[in-house]
Amino acid sequence: GRRGAATHRSARRTTAAMADPEIEADQVDSSKLVLPNVKLEKVETKDGEEDEEVLYKHRCKLFRFRGEEWKERGTGDIKLLKHKELGKVRVLMRQEKTLKICANHIVPDIGMEQSEGSDRMWMWVAPDFAEGEVITEQFLIKFRDHETGEGFVKAWEAARATNKGADASASAGGASGGASG
């Protein structure tokens, strides 16, 4: 009986020490603490880009036109991704911290228009699927410098040509392998 009472008092002291911020950590007997044995296993995650090849990737800031003004969609890497089987190129951009998708659409058969306000910004319109449904959006993209933006425009034009080739190949009945990049 006597030994159990001492252990009980010790447990009360340890509990009191954890609840009382005045008690120093070295006054707590940590030899009695038992940590849970948790084994974490590696889980394979998929981002939907497994069947695609990255044709272009660069950091930028993306805006969309809503309610008579440009609203920021996010900052992150914009990618032009070519599907390995279908041959189509799409635009995909995720916000850098949350990885939330802020642009997801096939590169449309329209050119980019440089913004009048800056030589680092370009605009385009596309039916976008970032919100889970197709919405025609007007986008504005801003790069750190003009040269980076020019590189994106060149990659965009190449993607347009690739998509035209993929469309022609699909309509001719030869969906496998007819597209050239």
Side-chain angles (χ1 to χ4, degrees), residues 107-126:
V107 173
D109 189 22
I110 57 166
M112 294 223 153
E113 189 178 309
Q114 190 167 356
S115 172
E116 293 176 13
S118 171
D119 69 343
R120 304 180 305 153
M121 300 182 341
W122 282 264
M123 296 180 291
W124 75 95
V125 176

Side-chain angles (χ1 to χ4, degrees), residues 71-83:
K71 299 203 176 193
E72 187 175 335
R73 277 300 272 154
T75 300
D77 286 332
I78 191 152
K79 298 179 190 177
L80 296 180
L81 302 168
K82 181 179 180 182
H83 196 277

Side-chain angles (χ1 to χ4, degrees), residues 82 85-87 161-162 164-170 172-181:
K82 181 179 180 182
E85 289 179 30
L86 303 175
T162 298
K164 274 186 187 178
D167 286 342
S169 174
S176 61
S180 61

Side-chain angles (χ1 to χ4, degrees), residues 23 43-44 46 62 71 81 95 113 125 132 137 154 163 166 180:
I23 297 176
V43 177
E44 187 176 322
K46 295 189 177 195
L62 187 71
K71 299 203 176 193
L81 302 168
Q95 293 174 353
E113 189 178 309
V125 176
E137 297 278 14
K154 285 179 184 163
N163 285 351
S180 61

Side-chain angles (χ1 to χ4, degrees), residues 135-148:
I135 301 170
T136 300
E137 297 278 14
Q138 185 175 359
F139 291 102
L140 176 76
I141 192 167
K142 181 179 181 181
F143 292 98
R144 70 169 182 222
D145 55 42
H146 179 73
E147 292 73 29
T148 306

